[in-house]
Amino acid sequence: DVCSSDLIKARTGSLKIVAIGDEKASINAANLSIGDRVFDVLENANLSLENLSVSGGNCAGVGGGINIETGANLTALNCEIKANSTVSDGGAIYNDGTCRLERVSINANKASGFSSDGGGIYNLGDLLLLNTSVSDNTGEGIYSLDTVILIGSTVSGNSQEGLYLNGASAGLVHSTISGNQGTGLSSSNSSVTITNCTITANVSDYDGDAAGIDSRNSAIFLRNSIIAGNLNTDDGPDDLAGEFNGNANNLIGSLSGASGAVGSGSDIVNPNPGLAPLANNGGPTPTHALLAGSPALNGGDNSLRDCCGHTTDQEVLEEMILSDSSTFTHRVSLFTIIYNDNHKLLFNRLLFQ
């Protein structure tokens, strides 16, 4: 490891760091005599962080803030991981193990090397985000080559793609991807299920790539979701490029560049989705409220509130009513299981192990 002088190493067994009180305790590596990351979670170690601010990591190797090795586990609750940097991959977090983030802010981190990926998070393992924001990072918000699940989370304002998938399996529910300076969700050779999500206001300047969702050799299922109001500034498609499974109460801005069932049947095609700007609307992360007259109002399907048709404690932890095809409606807290046996098992393992 080129970062040998980490502020804290979790070597084996379990380490839990909890701050008591209303204010987050700060763990800042900015004043290390040799620039290095904040945490290194070694194989077979379990690190749990609660109510902390993790910042100031500056690493020549992977994981500017936190590195999670193969076989290691990180759980973070009510934390912020901010202002960390690397010239390699993973400005805030590099995950090759299991990473669970709940009510966490990944903000203003940087992956700045010539071929670096994942300004926020670089994922090679199992990654679960619950009510978490990934915003204003330099590089992709999340770059994933393996399993990633987003629930009630927002990926916004990153300098490249919001979520980049390559050979990954992904599930998104009640999440927002907005305002990234690159494709909102770019998928190559991946399997993705998107339910009750909003993907809007992303801007791409790559000819041929969609600014909303760009799909290459991927299986993407869209349900009760809004993909509209994105912009390609170089004559590429605005909202979708590639093949998509739709006909499931989606609102699509433009079908230019899209193929498959999307835009047919119960889907709505309208270039004016009627969305307010990204804002704090009372939930754990920013969302786009629906304006009066939005075509998404009452356009959703309530049967998708529980996509697996079951009601056990681990599968639906909170009841929801989804009257609108929108991330905004009733999104304060939700933990609905995701859509097929593979994602369901992954979710249970990530959240309840």
Side-chain angles (χ1 to χ4, degrees), residues 16-27 39 48-54 75-81 102-105:
K16 186 172 185 177
I17 304 175
V18 180
I20 305 300
D22 295 333
E23 298 295 326
K24 292 180 174 64
S26 177
I27 301 178
F39 289 101
S48 178
L49 307 175
E50 186 173 343
N51 203 29
L52 300 177
S53 175
V54 178
T75 300
L77 173 65
N78 192 34
C79 292
E80 58 183 13
I81 305 173
E102 182 175 355
R103 300 201 307 275
V104 172
S105 171

Side-chain angles (χ1 to χ4, degrees), residues 283-301:
T285 64
T287 55
H288 290 274
L290 298 178
L291 299 173
S294 168
L297 287 167
N298 299 313
D301 180 357

Side-chain angles (χ1 to χ4, degrees), residues 129-150:
L129 279 68
L130 301 171
N131 294 337
T132 286
S133 64
V134 181
S135 62
D136 300 322
N137 300 286
T138 300
E140 301 93 352
I142 303 170
Y143 188 103
S144 183
L145 286 82
D146 211 320
T147 303
V148 56
I149 294 174
L150 278 69

